Amino acid sequence: MKKQVLVTGGVGYIGSHTVVELQSEGYEVFIVDDLSNSNIEVLDRIEKISGVRPHFEQFDLCDRVRVQEYFQKHDGLEAIIHFAASKAVGESVENPLLYYRNNLVTLMNLLEAMGQYNVPSIVFSSSCTVYGQPEVLPVTEKAPVQEATSPYGNTKQICEEILFDSISAYAGSVRGIALRYFNPIGAHASAEIGELPVGVPQNLVPYITQTAAGLREQLSIFGDDYDTADGTAVRDYIHVVDLAKAHVVAISRLMEHNNKKPLEFFNIGTGTGLTVLQLVKAFEKVTGVDLNYKLVDRRTGDIEKVWADTTFANEELGWKAQSSVEETLASAWVWEKKIRNIN
Ligand code: UFG
C-alpha cells in the first residue's frame, strides 16, 4: 500500500511542487488548503503532470474541531508536511494577529492531532529568517537564532519552539524536521505550476519576470550601499523543485527512523550567495530580455547578506540542490510567459 502523507497548503507555490515530487516517489498525497492564497486549478495542473489527482479538502486549519474530525476520518496518514501559513513580511507588520493566529494555531492543532491519532512524523516549513543577519557566513544550523525583525519572522521562531517543546513532550512518539528555506524561485519544468503572487509581487523574481513581461514598468532594486560586491543585497536563491525534493528526503528519513534526534533542523539552500544585481544580470543573459530597473533606497527590515552552509543537509540528508541559477531563472521566465500568453 502507498504511504499516505498530508500536505497542508499543498495548492500553494512550494506545496504544489512538493506534491508532484511526493507522487513521483510513490506517496499518496492528501491536501488540506483553505485557498486563501492559492488557486484550486492547481489541482488540475498537478494531475496533468503526475497523472494522479491528490485528495483534497478545503478548510482552515485554525479550526481545531475540524482538524480532529479530519484525522479521525483519515486514519492511514503516516506523516505531515506543514506548509500552510501566511508569508508576507510587510502584511505581518500591518496585521500581526492574523500571522500569529494562522501560523501558530494551525501548527498547534496539527501537533495535538498527531498525538491523538498516532501520526508520528512532521516536516515543517521554516526559514533562514530565524538567523537574522548572521555574523558568520555562510550560515550553519548552529548559528544563533536572532530576534525577529517582523511578526512573520517571529512566527517561524515561535513555531520552531512549539515544535521542540511538543516533540520533547511526546518523548519519541512524534518526530520532526524543520527545513530552513533560503529564497525559493523558479517553476516546474512542465510550466504547469509556478509562483503566482496575488497583486503586486513582494519578492524579487516574480517582480523581475512581471517587469520583463510588461506587467510592471520598472524593477526597483532596494539598496545599493550594502557591504557587498556591488552594493546590493545578497541571497541564496534555490530552485523550488530542489527545495521540494528536500521535503521528500526529509519525509523518508523520518518514516524510516533515520533521524538522529527527535527534532532536526536543516538549511535548504544552494550554498551560493548572489547579489540582486548579479541575479538581474543572470536573468538578462539567459532570457535575452533587457530589464528596466533602477537603484533605490534600502527596504526597511531587509538584511544585508545571507547564504547557506549546506554541508549538514548535504551529508546527513544526502540531498543537494542540483539546478544552476541560470536554469532556475529560465524556468521562472518560461512560466511567466506561459501564464501571460507571451511567445
Ligand atoms: N528586492 C528588490 N526589489 C524588489 C523585491 C526585492 O530589490 O522588488 C530585493 C530585496 O530587497 C532583497 C532581495 O531582493 O534584498 C530578495 O528579496 P525577496 O523579497 O525576494 O526575499 P527576502 O530575502 O526579503 O525574503 C524571503 C521570503 C521571506 C523570508 C525571507 C528569509 O520572502 O518570506 O526570504 O527567509 F522570510
Side-chain angles (χ1 to χ4, degrees):
M1 230 176 65
K2 287 187 169 183
K3 289 186 175 356
Q4 299 185 355
V5 179
L6 168 63
V7 180
T8 75
V11 185
Y13 173 46
I14 307 173
S16 58
H17 288 82
T18 302
V19 168
V20 168
E21 295 307 315
L22 284 167
Q23 289 176 322
S24 83
E25 292 299 317
Y27 291 94
E28 183 173 0
V29 178
F30 293 71
I31 295 177
V32 171
D33 198 305
D34 68 359
L35 302 179
S36 58
N37 193 25
S38 53
N39 190 325
I40 188 75
E41 278 170 28
V42 168
L43 287 181
D44 299 334
R45 291 163 171 267
I46 290 172
E47 187 176 357
K48 204 163 163 193
I49 297 170
S50 68
V52 183
R53 194 170 186 84
H55 307 272
F56 173 72
E57 275 194 38
Q58 180 182 355
F59 69 92
D60 182 351
L61 292 159
C62 286
D63 185 338
R64 188 176 175 197
V65 173
R66 191 77 198 264
V67 170
Q68 300 199 347
E69 284 168 1
Y70 185 85
F71 279 88
Q72 206 164 20
K73 208 164 60 183
H74 298 89
D75 58 2
L77 290 173
E78 292 184 49
I80 300 173
I81 306 183
H82 181 38
F83 292 107
S86 302
K87 62 166 190 177
V89 175
E91 186 187 42
S92 79
V93 175
E94 282 153 30
N95 197 349
L97 293 179
L98 175 78
Y99 275 67
Y100 286 112
R101 186 175 300 112
N102 276 353
N103 295 5
L104 307 190
V105 175
T106 53
L107 177 64
M108 291 193 285
N109 287 346
L110 288 171
L111 284 166
E112 181 179 50
M114 289 174 78
Q116 287 168 329
Y117 297 97
N118 301 315
V119 181
S121 304
I122 182 164
V123 174
F124 176 69
S125 301
S126 192
S127 166
C128 68
T129 194
V130 301
Y131 299 122
Q133 176 59 63
E135 269 175 34
V136 181
L137 286 165
V139 65
T140 73
E141 292 83 354
K142 292 200 169 79
V145 167
Q146 296 201 52
E147 197 180 335
T149 54
S150 72
Y152 162 76
N154 205 21
T155 66
K156 291 294 170 191
Q157 295 189 6
I158 299 170
C159 281
E160 286 195 353
E161 290 170 1
I162 292 172
L163 269 172
F164 185 86
D165 290 342
S166 310
I167 285 175
S168 303
Y170 278 130
S173 60
V174 172
R175 289 157 294 117
I177 291 179
L179 299 180
R180 291 174 172 164
Y181 308 159
F182 285 70
N183 290 53
I185 62 169
H188 194 263
S190 64
E192 288 294 336
I193 52 175
E195 192 169 10
L196 194 52
V198 178
V200 181
Q202 304 298 310
N203 296 114
L204 180 60
V205 168
Y207 210 106
I208 289 176
T209 54
Q210 288 196 11
T211 305
L215 270 81
R216 311 278 154 209
E217 173 77 30
Q218 191 174 46
L219 168 75
S220 294
I221 295 180
F222 300 131
D224 64 352
D225 58 351
Y226 287 114
D227 180 20
T228 62
D230 55 30
T232 64
V234 174
R235 296 290 184 275
D236 182 335
Y237 297 95
I238 176 169
H239 197 304
V240 67
V241 173
D242 282 328
L243 175 61
K245 287 181 174 161
H247 293 78
V248 182
V249 173
I251 277 288
S252 85
R253 179 178 176 90
L254 290 171
M255 284 182 162
E256 289 161 20
H257 296 259
N258 288 332
N259 54 306
K260 303 259 164 74
K261 287 182 187 170
L263 177 62
E264 298 176 312
F265 300 88
F266 292 100
N267 283 345
I268 304 299
T270 65
T272 301
L274 281 184
T275 68
V276 176
L277 265 176
Q278 285 166 342
L279 194 82
V280 166
K281 296 288 169 207
F283 179 84
E284 290 184 322
K285 194 163 170 213
V286 289
T287 62
V289 177
D290 264 339
L291 204 70
N292 183 17
Y293 66 85
K294 64 173 175 200
L295 298 163
V296 301
D297 285 349
R298 295 179 179 195
R299 182 169 72 176
T300 314
D302 269 349
I303 57 164
E304 183 169 81
K305 47 190 164 188
V306 63
W307 67 98
D309 184 322
T310 58
T311 312
F312 187 55
N314 297 160
E315 289 177 359
E316 267 304 312
L317 294 177
W319 164 93
K320 200 173 187 343
Q322 299 295 334
S323 304
S324 68
V325 75
E326 288 80 13
E327 287 169 89
T328 310
L329 289 167
S331 75
W333 182 226
V334 170
W335 161 251
E336 186 73 52
K337 283 195 295 186
K338 184 168 176 194
I339 55 176
R340 309 295 170 200
N341 295 316
I342 299 169
N343 290 318

